[in-house]
Amino acid sequence: MIHSLFLINCSGDIFLEKHWKSVVSQSVCDYFFEAQEKAIDVENVPPVISTPHHYLISIYRDKIFFVSVIQTEVPPLFVIEFLHRVADTFQDYFGECSETAIKDNVVIVYELLEEMLDNGFPLATESNILKELIKPPTILRSVVNSITGSSNVGDTLPTGQLSNIPWRRAGVKYTNNEAYFDVVEEIDAIIDKSGSTVFAEIQGLHVASSNRSDLMRFHLPLCHYLQNPRLLDDVSFHPCIRFKRWESERVLSFIPPDGNFRLISYRVSSQNLVAIPVYVKHMISFKENSSSGRFDVTIGPKQNMGKTVEGVVMTVHMPKAVLNMNLTATQGSYTFDPVTKVLTWDVGKITPQKLPNLKGIVNLQSGAPKPEENPSLNIQFKIQQLAISGLKVNRLDMYGEKYKPFKGVKYITKAGKFQVRT
Amino acid sequence: MIAKGKNASELFPAVVKNVASKNIEIKKLVYVYLMRYAEEQQDLALLSISTFQRALKDPNQLIRASALRVLSSIRVPIIVPIMMLAIKEASSDLSPYVRKNAAHAIQKLYSLDPEQKEMLIEVIEKLLKDRSTLVAGSVVMAFEEVCPDRIDLIHKNYRKLCNLLVDVEEWGQVVIIHMLTRYARTQFVSPWKDDDVVEEYSENNFYESDEEQKEKDRKVKHTYTMDPDHRLLLRNTKPLLQSRNAAVVMAVAQLYWHLAPKSEAGIVSKSLVRLLRSNREVQYIVLQNIATMSIQRKGMFEPYLKSFYVRSTDPTMIKTLKLEILTNLANEANISTLLREFQTYVKSQDKQFAAATIQAIGRCATNITEVTDTCLNGLVCLLSNRDEIVVAESVVVIKKLLQTQPAHHGEIIKHMAKLLDNITVPVARASILWLIGEYCERVPKIAPDVLRKTAKSFTNEDDLVKLQILNLGAKLYLTNSKQTKLLTQYVLNLGKYDQSYDIRDRTRFIRQLIVPNEKSGALSKYAKKIFLAQKPAPLLESPFKDRDHFQLGTLSHTLNSRATGYLELSGWPEVAPDPSVRNVDIAKSAKEWTGFLGKTKKEKPTEKFYSESEEEEGASTTTSASVVFILESESGSESEKEEKEEGSSDESSGSSSSGEESSDSESDGKESTAKKTSRTADESDSEDIKKKAKGISKKRSTSSSSDVETTSSEESSAESKSESGSKSDSESGKSRGATSSKKEEKPVQDTKAPNKQDVFLLDLDDFCPVTTPVAVPTAAVLSPSLTADLEGLSLSSSSVIDVTTQVSVPTKIHELLHRMSGKGLAAHYHFSRQAGNFGDHMVSVQVTVTNTTDQKIENIHIGEKKLPAGMRMHEFNPIDCLEPAGSITVSMGIDFCDSTQMASFQLCTKDDHFNVCIQPPVGELLLPVTMSEKDFKKEQGMLTGMNETSATIAVAPQNSTRLLIIERVVKAANLGVVPSGQDNIHRFAAKTVHSGSLMLVTVELKESSTAQLIINTEKTVIGSVLLRELKPVLSQG
């Protein structure tokens, strides 16, 4: 299946290569570079490239291209998904998935790749198993290792690999038995010029992190206060969840994996249920034949149940003709990058008494025709302790434990792909 | 060094020495090195072989496995026999992990030495029988690589693979699903035949006599029944749609696409849309596949139209794909919203995308004739756009559009001729010239002028434009030779000495053809015909049209060309091959089974949780067993595992087909017979039952719920079933059972209840949602007196509603006040379908008020009312205080005067008030009436002519059973069922709440899944509104 993997940085250097079958020459990447040149923007490099003898499937993550070489028919999503999993693993191990991090830990990277893929077929991709096979680097461990001469590589087969619950190690012990559940909901929306919602949906996920020393089953009845199970449009689960229980009783029953994991993600797409928590008043105009334009944006909170909207950031991709912007913000600070033409306005918290406003003049390239379309505004925000869909975690039952757990669930609502057309 | 791609082979001997090192990290790194360079230094690599051979016997399974991995990864032909030996040994290893590695090694060995194929197939066969989920994925992978055509190896393992599928690791799932897709395509008969014929046959409607059709239809219906194994596969892959791995979801989607009956394939679309949230690359592939799917079956993705709206931050390739899908999905209903959306796109800064949008508009315009003119006008407006690419693209598209309907667009052509001065993009110029030439007769004055202008600039034009100038000249010469003779001559002369030979050729050709001279007399006669022939309009087609012959989700599909190793998906076989090949060999499997049992015992605590998919299998063929199963699943008993093992081993020695399927089919039969008998019995003495039910319900409400469950499985009399049936479906059925039975006042509802029980007992898994009966009112039955009781239990009562809505007719809950706009106070309402709580003319409405804030909300009452003339409202009693997170249900009555006008009023709290309104669906303005068939016919006879409205509708094929029709109709409107003597005619009666006029509804099923819907009523307005509302109810799938 997957023949070789090349890691390429933004400037086009191949800084790591790994072959699982016979060696494929680096020159195969030339096809990739060709496509990259044609695409202008890195975002536009086609994920699948066909060359005379091979097929190149690539992903772009954190300024690194992961280019894999395929020789025969294979579902492309299979490869893409795997490459993302590799990138996730690096992130998990080194805290970031950057070129320097990979170069610094080249030995571990190599061992990881070796374990993850055998003869091009994925072998162990669950991070728990990998962590047991190859321990992640820490400063303390490297000191200890250099003194005692022991190594980072575990010498027993991780039991998870053998069991049917590959997401959990056996015999884990913690002093605190804890499990945290966060409900994160993201609002995806497109709002048109006049302020009406073109498209809105909520993407929710439950992120859980658990440190439990025993195998025990959790029950998490997710009861929306509407008692309307149809509210959740589409659900996707971590493999630890027993699907049958969900189907019959709408209860999530699972043995939690160790560490951080995404328990479920769901979608709420019926538009009238999606309340948009902010509104934007905008006035952007470019004058004909004069090299300037006006820019005036105000953000204000809408129905939000008394919770404050925080962490508001607005980014705008200005048209190419814009040279510079002279703006004043009543709150927060703004930056404009004249190279990428991206305007970023970091607003922070919105107080309803004094609405943040950004106003000023746009300098256009003289002589250039006025841009015909106003740029769309991308907005990010956060609301703590509120799940916008109204979803609540009613209770958490534990089986196999006598003591009563203390319950607390963290809710947070964020903007996902939130776009205002102007 | 290896990582950098430098050659480190000269260090080989020094490195290989370390292979025996004790340090595992060094050992592993040496392995890495060995795999990389062994091919080049074969002799030296042999030195290390003995170490591996020793390691293969190591007690640690990890070491055994990794030794096998490295040994098989060293590509040295001399050691092939050693590898073969090692693989054989490892394939019977105790550790599944080692066996898994053996499966991997098979592929490696095969690629090294294909001659070993026969031996390897033997090993594969052996490993395919393995029951460990770990091994399954890898061995199927090996199978695909080594011998994808040996389908016969799969037969015996097919069912096992299907059942294990859920528990296999995700990568294995992808491979197995793809393999099973191919397998199913060769082994089962097409489930589409049914649909295809029906389609074809509706097309033929006009030509064939009714008799013929009927015969044909019957034949088809009877010949096709889905192979149980086919069904098994579909059912077992369905949960995988929920997987977090995009590749698995895609694999299942393609399986459903290629294998499922067309009506079922729709379920995958939701999951595919979900994938659009993930990374750019995943989006790209998924969108490509959706594009192909959306061409063939528009309906699948239509509900998700908005998910394909483009964001300005998407990369261009994603944008164009989304656009493609939007275009595919365009139809008469949504085109206006789509065009509005396209308008925004056209203005996009990304010009490439804007151009693509214009093309999309063009395609919409040709596909949907209603909007052609609108599109054309819009495109003409775009011609004044400042950006050249946009203008050029619109010119090209307009040209194509005009060609499809050239009738009356002289104006546009003139406008475009004017544009010619400004446009520089060659394609656009060429298009304009072509248009003018083609329709030169419509614009007789302009055409010669254009030729004059272009002749002037001829030498500076692009080749493409030059050719069109020549064409234009030739056409004008033929139609209007007086004015243009000299000009054409001039152009031809210019062309004669052009640099491009293409143009010189064309010039010569045209000259010979049109300029009359002695030699070419014969041809020039036809010149006019040749040049001014009617050209067929180009078809604007999706570029994804031709991709459908590749299997979805494959590399070949993405590239739109055959990738090496692509295996064609075969067509459906005409006759299904013998299904018995999949039956497991009894003696052999029993042995294997016991052997495996010993192994699994060790892992039992873990495996227990995942055995659910197989539980059904355990519940063997008799109904009594399935009752046991219900009880088990409810109490969550831990003995499931045991049960399962016993059950399935029984079954493998006894029955030839798996227990699950036979129980399904059997229960089907039983279900229907049971239904019939109970119905006939019940109809006669429904009054009787009603009384009994009341008595029993009181008794029941005191007994414990576990008691109820056991009695439910044992008691067989119809009336008790009606009670316990409704109870056993919810764990807290106690309170609900009591409420529902008290309130079941209508005989109609009682007659339905027994059916429910049957269905429930027999068929917990699959048929519940489909066959749930109609009129058991769920939350609707909570009367005001009961709500008082329930106040204290507000939590538990709400969970009751939750459960019941799942299994029976869901009561439609409408929103009265969103918690956001209500500052934490939320209100919902539904129609309780009860008469007479507030006087004769009132429709009773249940309002549930919920407090989602952290404080108490005090004094909730109704404030100012704004009612249309004649409407009256009976307010609910003010709620003094609502605790945080508490909710209260109150009921109120509204007299809507038999109109669907809104009743607006203010919902007030102590310190705030909110404007809300209730709008009744027409179905709720009715009260069911009981009458006999005879009375019905008599009344109907009096309400004909003006008072009758009717419509013919297409009924979805799955809706044609009596139960379903009744369920759907009663769900939509509060109608009473009139017993009917004919199977294909269903009658419903009701009267309007305010005026009490009769409302008679008749559904008459016709052939070819159509139905005649007749409504007789004095209130014709309401009648027609009701008709409109009922139509979609029956035609929906």
Side-chain angles (χ1 to χ4, degrees), chain A residues 296-365:
Chain A
D296 185 345
V297 174
T298 310
I299 303 180
K302 224 152 100 182
Q303 336 148 318
N304 54 357
M305 294 181 69
K307 302 272 187 335
T308 43
V309 183
E310 309 169 30
V312 181
V313 178
M314 185 184 78
T315 45
V316 189
H317 290 263
M318 297 304 284
K320 288 207 180 63
V322 174
L323 272 187
N324 212 338
M325 303 183 81
N326 277 325
L327 305 172
T328 41
T330 56
Q331 189 185 337
S333 59
Y334 82 95
T335 50
F336 178 71
D337 183 349
V339 183
T340 53
K341 313 280 183 206
V342 176
L343 168 74
T344 318
W345 178 28
D346 193 342
V347 184
K349 207 184 268 181
I350 298 184
T351 41
Q353 291 79 30
K354 194 164 160 278
L355 297 177
N357 170 274
L358 183 68
K359 195 153 83 171
I361 289 173
V362 185
N363 295 321
L364 296 174
Q365 217 162 5

Side-chain angles (χ1 to χ4, degrees), chain A residues 17 43-44 60 71 73 85 114-115 118 186 188 217 233 235 242 244 376 388 417 421, chain B residues 3 28 69 108 170 242 270 277 280-281 311-312 341 554-556 564 609 612 616 819:
Chain A
E17 63 177 80
E43 289 268 280
N44 273 330
Y60 180 69
Q71 234 169 0
E73 169 69 48
R85 209 57 75 82
E114 189 63 37
E115 284 303 330
D118 180 22
E186 297 191 350
D188 283 7
R217 186 131 28 109
D233 232 12
V235 205
R242 300 173 74 201
K244 276 280 151 91
S376 9
I388 199 92
K417 296 172 175 172
R421 292 178 178 164
Chain B
K28 280 206 164 175
R69 262 175 75 185
K108 298 181 204 166
E170 47 200 6
Q242 245 92 10
K270 206 192 256 183
R277 270 279 291 186
R280 171 184 77 98
E281 295 85 4
R311 287 161 207 282
S312 63
E341 188 69 17
T554 59
L555 189 60
S556 310
T564 28
F609 305 116
E612 276 184 327
E616 317 164 27
R819 74 196 160 89

Side-chain angles (χ1 to χ4, degrees), chain A residues 162-183:
Chain A
L162 292 173
S163 76
N164 266 318
I165 0 177
W167 51 87
R168 208 186 150 86
R169 291 183 258 171
V172 208
K173 288 277 177 236
Y174 290 103
T175 42
N176 281 343
N177 271 349
E178 302 174 309
Y180 297 98
F181 293 90
D182 294 0
V183 177

Side-chain angles (χ1 to χ4, degrees), chain B residues 60-78:
Chain B
N60 184 338
Q61 48 181 345
L62 180 67
I63 294 182
R64 281 205 305 276
S66 64
L68 180 64
R69 262 175 75 185
V70 183
L71 183 64
S72 53
S73 299
I74 299 175
R75 285 167 294 271
V76 180
I78 310 166

